[in-house]
Amino acid sequence: MKALITGGAGFIGSHLSEHLIKHGNKVFILDDLSTGTIENILHLKNHPNFHYTIDTVMNIPVTTKLIEQSDVIFHLAAAVGVKLIVKSPVRTIETNVKGTETILKLAEKKRKKVILTSTSEVYGKSGKVPFTEDSDLVLGPTHKGRWSYACSKAIDEFLALAYWREKGLPVIVTRLFNTAGPRQSGRYGMVLPTFVRQALLDHPITVFGEGTQSRCFTHVSDVANALYQLSQTEASIGRVFNIGSDEEISILELAKKIKHLVGSQSRIDLISYEEAYEEGFEDMPRRVPDISLIKQIIDYHPRNNLNQIIQSVIDYERLSLNFSSKSG
Ligand code: UDP
């Protein structure tokens, strides 16, 4: 199979590239390096089945050509990270909505299958966990920037499903829950690499709010495997799938666990949401997926538990800190 991965130089995109190549597929990536990096794909650059184009999805001639060459499109290009979303809402909304609109329109012309990666953010602040794919989405008001991300991704989902219903374009919608692993950057606020780095440096670990909010983390290799398997399964077309794990942990417990696994001397500081993000910031209190649907359709059993996920990030961050201290 020939696959196009938009956002292929991002954290998840680079792991998906690796996974597809390992399974004998040819991969084209398209990335504008807004949040992705060349470092993420350095180890793939010379592989005969890997081709990269540095450009935006919105460049129609370039994207059209790549879609023509591919059998399937994994659309991962999107604004990423709550910090970035709060800081740059225009960019978030435009990237998410225009990008997906462009991909679906061009894919429809060429009749190519699209796997859309959406997010567990779309469930919003609903307290009804675990979230099933047909749960209601409970979003906050439009003057609170955070919800623009969920809302723009929900529009992407509506649009993808509309292309399926109205035009028969094969689409698969996936909602990724908190994904973690090597190469994820803490730059956009992601909690796991941030805590690991703080712990390794013996800096204070910054827990936002009271730390009672909870998340479930999935290793990026399990996510890549799920995306690939779904793309290969006829029964997944026209449907929405949670991709995540149901091992739930509060953020305060996560901080303690990471401190312990690193053997760190760090303090754990509680920082108010206002200070961390913006006035009136609303967090999702719990975010737990129901993963029974994906388990019915593919062989989905996340292979990495939370300790293994954290360990993989510790190993990666240790190496990169050593590297930057030597090269600095
Ligand atoms: N968080 C934190 N300290 C940090 C970064 C994040 O306490 O330095 C919290 C954040 O407020 C949220 C959770 O960790 O409750 C997960 O944040 P992340 O941005 O990784 O993903 P989200 O689940 O919010 O999309």
Side-chain angles (χ1 to χ4, degrees):
M1 162 177 103
K2 291 189 219 111
L4 168 63
I5 306 177
T6 70
F11 157 58
I12 301 175
S14 66
H15 283 273
L16 180 61
S17 299
E18 238 169 77
H19 189 83
L20 295 185
I21 289 171
K22 200 170 86 193
H23 285 83
N25 303 289
K26 200 172 184 138
V27 171
F28 300 95
I29 70 152
L30 174 61
D31 200 301
D32 66 0
L33 299 185
S34 53
T35 54
T37 63
I38 287 288
E39 287 73 55
N40 283 345
I41 51 165
L42 267 187
H43 60 299
L44 298 171
K45 266 174 86 176
N46 295 323
H47 195 287
N49 283 339
F50 182 77
H51 303 271
Y52 69 99
T53 305
I54 304 305
D55 212 321
T56 150
V57 166
M58 263 74 96
N59 185 334
I60 307 286
V62 167
T63 307
T64 303
K65 189 157 164 266
L66 287 167
I67 287 181
E68 257 164 16
Q69 289 170 350
S70 310
D71 305 309
V72 45
I73 303 141
F74 292 89
H75 180 44
L76 272 65
V80 69
V82 177
K83 255 203 179 129
L84 181 72
I85 284 143
V86 169
K87 207 174 113 228
S88 314
V90 173
R91 177 164 150 205
T92 300
I93 299 166
E94 290 191 350
T95 306
N96 289 351
V97 177
K98 279 193 192 159
T100 303
E101 209 182 310
T102 307
I103 289 295
L104 289 168
K105 199 173 271 169
L106 298 179
E108 202 259 326
K109 277 199 186 128
K110 308 291 172 194
R111 306 300 299 167
K112 300 292 169 74
K113 187 190 284 184
V114 178
I115 292 90
L116 175 76
T117 51
S118 180
T119 165
S120 54
E121 271 275 322
V122 298
Y123 292 108
K125 50 188 171 177
S126 164
K128 233 180 98 200
V129 294
F131 300 136
T132 56
E133 289 82 352
D134 55 7
S135 300
D136 287 338
L137 313 184
V138 185
L139 305 186
T142 49
H143 65 265
K144 295 200 172 169
R146 183 206 179 117
W147 303 115
S148 65
Y149 182 62
C151 201
S152 59
K153 285 303 232 177
I155 280 285
D156 289 351
E157 292 193 17
F158 275 124
L159 193 60
L161 295 170
Y163 265 93
W164 161 243
R165 274 194 216 110
E166 198 178 319
K167 298 173 190 286
L169 181 72
V171 303
I172 301 163
V173 175
T174 58
R175 292 181 180 156
L176 308 191
F177 282 66
N178 294 66
T179 304
R183 299 203 286 274
Q184 183 174 40
S185 165
R187 211 174 312 139
Y188 308 106
M190 305 322 194
V191 69
L192 219 142
T194 303
F195 282 4
V196 167
R197 199 164 259 249
Q198 289 168 335
L200 285 171
L201 293 168
D202 288 328
H203 291 172
I205 301 180
T206 53
V207 169
F208 300 161
E210 298 293 312
T212 51
Q213 71 276 28
S214 72
R215 296 294 186 267
C216 301
F217 294 88
T218 319
H219 195 267
V220 64
S221 60
D222 287 313
V223 171
N225 183 31
L227 288 170
Y228 180 47
Q229 281 197 60
L230 285 172
S231 78
Q232 300 303 292
T233 308
E234 208 52 29
S236 58
I237 290 173
R239 304 181 75 172
V240 180
F241 296 93
N242 288 336
I243 303 181
S245 99
D246 42 20
E247 190 181 350
E248 185 180 12
I249 187 165
S250 78
I251 297 301
L252 183 58
E253 284 307 314
L254 179 72
K256 290 181 185 161
K257 193 187 248 303
I258 290 176
K259 181 176 160 164
H260 173 73
L261 288 173
V262 167
S264 166
Q265 300 300 313
S266 293
R267 300 195 310 258
I268 296 181
D269 284 355
L270 295 185
I271 316 258
S272 72
Y273 282 121
E274 281 67 28
E275 207 182 312
Y277 298 106
E278 63 179 351
E279 191 64 36
F281 180 84
E282 291 180 311
D283 201 2
M284 289 177 71
R286 287 178 77 192
R287 199 191 263 174
V288 186
D290 181 319
I291 47 176
S292 42
L293 180 63
I294 189 168
K295 283 184 168 174
Q296 272 168 37
I297 301 288
I298 61 168
D299 175 28
Y300 179 71
H301 298 280
R303 267 181 288 164
N304 300 272
N305 63 28
L306 182 57
N307 279 1
Q308 290 164 314
I309 296 171
I310 295 173
Q311 199 53 55
S312 76
V313 177
I314 294 174
D315 295 345
Y316 173 78
E317 290 291 343
R318 264 212 179 106
L319 266 181
S320 55
L321 282 173
N322 271 341
F323 180 76
S324 52
S325 71
K326 278 191 190 122
S327 60

